[in-house]
Amino acid sequence: MSVWPAWEVREDGGATSWFHVRLAFTDGARIDVLAVVSGGCLSLEDVRARPALPLDDLPVLAEWIEGPLSEACGAAPEAGGTEARNRARPAWPGGIEGRWLVAREYRAAQEDGVDPVLAVMCATGHGRRRSLRLIAQAREAGFLAPGHARR
C-alpha cells in the first residue's frame, strides 16, 4: 500500500488533509482512494477499483487504510481504533468448519457477481495470500469445484 499527500487546507485553527491511497494486489487488482482526514475522522471521498469493489466492502477498506493514513499524517491510531477492533474480532475457525465457511463466502460472492477472493478476505480478516490458501484448502476438502488449469 502506498499513501501520499494530495493537499491540505488550514482554517479556523484546524486542518483538513486529502491523501491518495493505492492498494495494489499481486493479481493486478488495484484500489485507488482519495481520503480526507479532518478533526481526527477519516472519510473516503472517491474510490476506484479494478475489479469493482462491492459497497459492502467499504467498511473493510476503511479499516485497511486507517493505520497507514494515521502514520502518513503523523497521528497515532486512536485507542480502540483499528488494531483494537481487529484483536476483538473472533478468530476464524480452523479445520473443516473454516473450510466450509470459506467455501460458503466464496460461492455467495460468485452468485452476487463480486470478487470471491476479496469476499473471503473481508470475511476472514486475512490478506490476499492467506485467503487464497484457505480457498485452495476448501477446494481440496471438496467444498468448491476444482480451479482452472494453469498453463
Side-chain angles (χ1 to χ4, degrees):
M1 175 178 351
S2 55
V3 179
W4 63 97
W7 63 89
E8 181 176 82
V9 175
R10 294 185 180 275
E11 64 182 359
D12 299 328
T16 300
S17 302
W18 284 261
F19 292 87
H20 291 288
V21 181
R22 175 168 288 161
L23 290 98
F25 300 94
T26 57
D27 66 353
R30 187 172 91 189
I31 303 172
D32 290 304
V33 177
L34 180 61
V36 180
V37 179
S38 178
C41 295
L42 167 66
S43 302
L44 304 181
E45 275 222 358
D46 186 38
V47 177
R48 294 175 189 224
R50 294 214 187 268
L53 184 68
L55 290 176
D56 294 342
D57 293 338
L58 285 177
V60 176
L61 173 63
E63 286 181 13
W64 284 347
I65 66 175
E66 184 179 25
L69 269 174
S70 294
E71 290 175 20
C73 56
E78 295 178 17
T82 303
E83 295 166 3
R85 280 195 306 268
N86 287 342
R87 281 192 295 264
R89 180 183 299 159
W92 189 259
I96 203 77
E97 181 185 3
R99 290 178 183 123
W100 182 81
L101 290 171
V102 164
R104 186 181 72 179
E105 290 292 333
Y106 188 94
R107 284 192 306 271
Q110 281 183 321
E111 290 171 8
D112 292 342
V114 297
D115 182 0
V117 176
L118 189 56
V120 170
M121 289 170 61
C122 294
T124 63
H126 292 301
R128 192 164 193 83
R129 281 188 177 184
R130 178 70 178 129
S131 294
L132 287 170
R133 278 190 225 120
L134 292 171
I135 292 166
Q137 291 171 355
R139 286 189 199 289
E140 290 170 4
F143 293 125
L144 291 172
H148 300 293
R150 298 182 192 256
R151 293 181 184 206

